[in-house]
Amino acid sequence: MPAVPPAGYLWDATAMTEKGLVLVVEDERAISDLLRLYLAREGFGVHIENTGPGGLSAARTLSPTVMIVDVGLPGLDGTEICRALRAEGNWVPLLFCTARDEEVDRILGLELGADDYITKPFSPREVVARVKALTRRVAHTASPGDTYRVGEVAVDATARRVHVRGVEVVLTATEFDLLAHLMASPGRVFTREQLLSDVWGYAAIVGTRTVDVHVAQLRSKLGDDSPIRTVRGVGYSAEEP
Ligand code: CA
């Protein structure tokens, strides 16, 4: 039997690589080992924590590029980690791992500000693809200098900031990218499938409802000035309200 690892352990000494650092919070050793292997092979630095409190503290101290967080964790569950980080203004892109589809429903319902979800058992390749999509989105979603305005909502794609009537609104990476994508082509109607492919960067696995949940979160943050219009039976577009 291999020795039980300490509560937090580094894959190697150079945890932050050029590609970034992925913080994996997962209490099943077999899964975290597999993720570590696949992510390291892609050039990511990987730090693993196997408890909720350890994951939260590592998120605060290591400033990871992306987090992969199991929902069921000892000490503090994944949703509590996400909630705590968002409450502190930490918008690190966060991919939830869930044991069951029902958990996805619960997470979506909580509106925690998670960026993506994947259900176990998952293929490590799929997780790597999602992590890459998340880092790509953070790295460049629009050309430098791009700013979009629809009604009272202004998006600065370079600074990744959104202002409504001059007041900054803080969005998750996914919320930002979704809004910027819609506002870059005002009036154009996008289907949910198009948005998943354009914004999330891969085909729908968790389902197009993910788009609806993120739109709902955006609307609640942008209030009456939200430029997102539902086109019944088709999808969404950005237009002056
Ligand atoms: Ca677990």
Side-chain angles (χ1 to χ4, degrees):
M1 285 287 287
V4 175
Y9 58 101
L10 285 170
W11 168 235
D12 57 34
T14 54
M16 179 65 84
T17 70
E18 219 170 87
K19 286 212 169 176
L21 173 67
V22 181
L23 171 58
V24 177
V25 191
E26 168 62 75
D27 57 327
E28 283 175 67
R29 180 77 196 272
I31 294 177
S32 60
D33 278 355
L34 200 63
L35 290 177
R36 183 178 67 181
L37 185 72
Y38 275 76
L39 289 164
R41 205 159 69 185
E42 291 291 329
F44 289 102
V46 183
H47 180 93
I48 293 172
E49 291 286 341
N50 44 29
T51 68
L56 181 57
S57 128
R60 288 171 174 154
T61 55
L62 299 178
S63 302
T65 317
V66 172
M67 283 178 74
I68 301 175
V69 180
D70 185 27
V71 174
L73 287 167
L76 194 68
D77 83 19
T79 63
E80 293 169 302
I81 293 176
C82 184
R83 203 188 292 282
L85 290 173
R86 296 321 189 212
E88 292 164 12
N90 185 331
W91 299 93
V92 55
L94 193 149
L95 166 67
F96 267 129
C97 298
T98 73
R100 295 177 304 276
D101 281 333
E102 306 90 81
E103 271 185 0
V104 176
D105 290 341
R106 192 167 69 86
I107 291 164
L108 292 175
L110 289 173
E111 299 189 2
L112 290 164
D115 294 281
D116 199 2
Y117 320 86
I118 192 160
T119 310
K120 293 177 184 176
F122 47 69
S123 101
R125 280 197 186 81
E126 179 62 26
V127 176
V128 168
R130 305 253 185 142
V131 167
K132 281 181 170 172
L134 279 172
T135 54
R136 263 201 309 275
R137 271 192 277 149
V138 172
H140 51 86
T141 50
S143 314
D146 282 348
T147 55
Y148 314 115
R149 173 177 277 278
V150 176
E152 297 296 335
V153 179
V155 166
D156 179 339
T158 309
R160 294 185 65 82
R161 290 184 144 176
V162 175
H163 289 86
V164 178
R165 295 180 188 270
V167 178
E168 184 166 10
V169 177
V170 180
L171 303 179
T172 66
T174 305
E175 288 163 0
F176 179 89
D177 292 337
L178 179 58
L179 182 65
H181 192 68
L182 288 167
M183 286 180 56
S185 307
R188 179 176 159 192
V189 180
F190 294 88
T191 65
R192 291 170 177 80
E193 290 76 12
Q194 276 172 335
L195 290 170
L196 272 173
S197 160
D198 295 348
V199 176
W200 275 257
Y202 47 77
I205 288 181
V206 292
T208 51
R209 201 166 34 98
T210 300
V211 176
D212 299 336
V213 170
H214 281 87
V215 165
Q217 286 170 193
L218 270 174
R219 282 177 170 152
S220 78
K221 288 185 179 181
L222 301 174
D224 291 341
D225 291 311
S226 169
I228 304 177
R229 184 167 79 93
T230 303
V231 182
R232 205 168 288 281
V234 187
Y236 296 103
S237 70
E239 284 166 41
E240 279 199 44

